[in-house]
Amino acid sequence: MEHDLSPSVLAELRRPRPYPAVSVLAPTNRRNPLSTEDAVRLRTMVAEAKKRLESDPSVSRDRRADVADQLDRALAEVDLAHAEDGLAIFAAPGEHQVWSLARSVPERVVLSDTFLTRNLVSAQTAERPFWVLSVAADRATLWSGGTDRVVEERVGGFPLVREEPNFDPERVERAGDQPSNYRDEDTRRFLRDAATAATSLLRAHPRPLFVTGEPAALSLLCEFGGVCKDAVQVPHGGLARGSHEAVWQAVRPALEEEARRRTEDVRRSLESARGRKEFAAGVDELWQSAREGRIRLLAVEENYRITVRDDGEHLIIAEDGDLDAREDIVDEIVEQCLETGAEVRFVPDGSLGDADRMAAVLRF
């Protein structure tokens, strides 16, 4: 299952496909992975997608068989034991993908000439993915982080391992001469290579970066290039060979402090916008402003969901059973804002006070 929605991957997902490009979205329950409910729902939704293929006269027999086979292959790749809050299955002639999402999605089956990506974009933005680079004199390990976890990533040449016959990091620790070891030219070269690899990775996959290691290692790493320019330093050794849980616990206080700072920044920006009459709130006003490209900063409470329908002039709250209900309007607004270059910030529930759980600073 896929997780990393880089700009290049998103562009590839959005390119037009030969009809039909099938998108199947389903909520999943990460807190109860042993439940059979998710498996039954997925099978039912894939069966619904196949039924719609069968009933579409514009789809040839060969293409129908191809896409149905791609749906079956995608379903076989789903690992519900490691599910998050949602799944997206994409299938088109000759290809399929399965995406795990850290944000719930509505049940949907869509046939079009493009895949439905707005829920992926919203989930990726809400998760606030980040990198952790853990360095030592003999190893540099890369971790990918999300809302409540980190996992080791083997991309961009990581992990980097220093293999020299006379190098013994355990002896260095026993002898207590680690600071002098970081002045060794071979160690400097190794950490220079780590800084170069991390800089290349950030260009291809930009995310906030946290770097961990002994103070001497961090000091040396930050001498090379701009890898530490905007990084948050966490002076904690032993994590280059540590467990994912140890890394998570080490960076968690820094993440929480960063989240508090970002939320306070959002509040101040919204309050200032009120005074300048550049403030907007309410799903209908925000939807209109997003489509006009007027939003500079959009703030959304993390678990905000609302179902609406379009009456031709405005969005109004949908009634139970409305056939034209739009369950993912928040995700639509988020993606539209990102498309027009707006900054999108997800904040804890209750952070926006009387702003009706979603608000914006307008450009004009």
Side-chain angles (χ1 to χ4, degrees), residues 56-184:
D56 190 332
S58 65
V59 182
S60 69
R61 178 183 299 177
D62 289 346
R63 184 159 291 181
R64 183 183 305 129
D66 183 353
V67 177
D69 179 61
Q70 297 296 333
L71 284 168
D72 287 338
R73 293 187 185 187
L75 189 60
E77 292 176 10
V78 171
D79 181 6
L80 289 174
H82 297 91
E84 297 177 279
D85 296 313
L87 277 174
I89 291 176
F90 298 138
E95 64 173 319
H96 67 272
Q97 295 188 38
V98 180
W99 284 82
S100 177
L101 287 69
R103 181 170 166 85
S104 185
V105 297
E107 293 187 21
R108 295 197 68 181
V109 175
V110 177
L111 274 64
S112 182
D113 59 357
T114 58
F115 293 138
L116 185 64
T117 61
R118 60 176 173 254
N119 302 96
L120 269 71
V121 171
S122 181
Q124 182 84 351
T125 306
E127 190 175 20
R128 298 185 294 274
F130 58 90
W131 297 116
V132 180
L133 176 62
S134 297
V135 296
D138 62 328
R139 185 179 177 91
T141 304
L142 181 72
W143 311 85
S144 175
T147 304
D148 56 3
R149 71 198 184 286
V150 296
V151 295
E152 185 177 351
E153 283 284 351
R154 295 179 176 270
V155 296
F158 290 101
L160 296 179
V161 180
R162 176 182 174 185
E163 296 182 356
E164 296 186 21
N166 297 323
F167 181 70
D168 183 357
E170 293 185 2
R171 182 201 63 76
V172 168
E173 291 184 7
R174 289 195 303 271
D177 59 353
Q178 192 163 349
S180 63
N181 179 65
Y182 284 106
R183 291 193 293 269
D184 176 79

Side-chain angles (χ1 to χ4, degrees), residues 37-71:
E37 180 181 350
D38 289 344
V40 171
R41 179 189 292 115
L42 275 173
R43 287 196 298 270
T44 300
M45 295 184 69
V46 168
E48 170 64 19
K50 290 180 180 180
K51 182 178 178 181
R52 291 176 61 174
L53 287 171
E54 288 285 346
S55 62
D56 190 332
S58 65
V59 182
S60 69
R61 178 183 299 177
D62 289 346
R63 184 159 291 181
R64 183 183 305 129
D66 183 353
V67 177
D69 179 61
Q70 297 296 333
L71 284 168

Side-chain angles (χ1 to χ4, degrees), residues 119-268:
N119 302 96
L120 269 71
V121 171
S122 181
Q124 182 84 351
T125 306
E127 190 175 20
R128 298 185 294 274
F130 58 90
W131 297 116
V132 180
L133 176 62
S134 297
V135 296
D138 62 328
R139 185 179 177 91
T141 304
L142 181 72
W143 311 85
S144 175
T147 304
D148 56 3
R149 71 198 184 286
V150 296
V151 295
E152 185 177 351
E153 283 284 351
R154 295 179 176 270
V155 296
F158 290 101
L160 296 179
V161 180
R162 176 182 174 185
E163 296 182 356
E164 296 186 21
N166 297 323
F167 181 70
D168 183 357
E170 293 185 2
R171 182 201 63 76
V172 168
E173 291 184 7
R174 289 195 303 271
D177 59 353
Q178 192 163 349
S180 63
N181 179 65
Y182 284 106
R183 291 193 293 269
D184 176 79
E185 185 56 36
D186 289 337
T187 303
R188 291 177 62 84
R189 187 181 303 111
F190 174 74
L191 290 179
R192 186 187 300 117
D193 291 344
T196 300
T199 300
S200 297
L201 175 84
L202 289 171
R203 278 198 295 265
H205 303 278
R207 296 184 188 181
L209 174 67
F210 295 78
V211 290
T212 78
E214 296 287 347
L218 296 181
S219 177
L220 183 55
L221 179 76
C222 293
E223 288 184 15
F224 307 118
V227 68
C228 292
K229 180 184 176 186
D230 298 315
V232 177
Q233 296 186 37
V234 181
H236 189 303
L239 299 179
R241 281 190 168 82
S243 67
H244 65 89
E245 182 61 24
V247 175
W248 170 249
Q249 293 302 328
V251 301
R252 185 174 181 177
L255 285 167
E256 291 173 347
E257 179 57 33
E258 183 72 6
R260 284 192 292 269
R261 184 190 64 78
R262 288 169 60 89
T263 299
E264 190 56 38
D265 286 348
V266 167
R267 287 200 197 99
R268 283 196 294 265

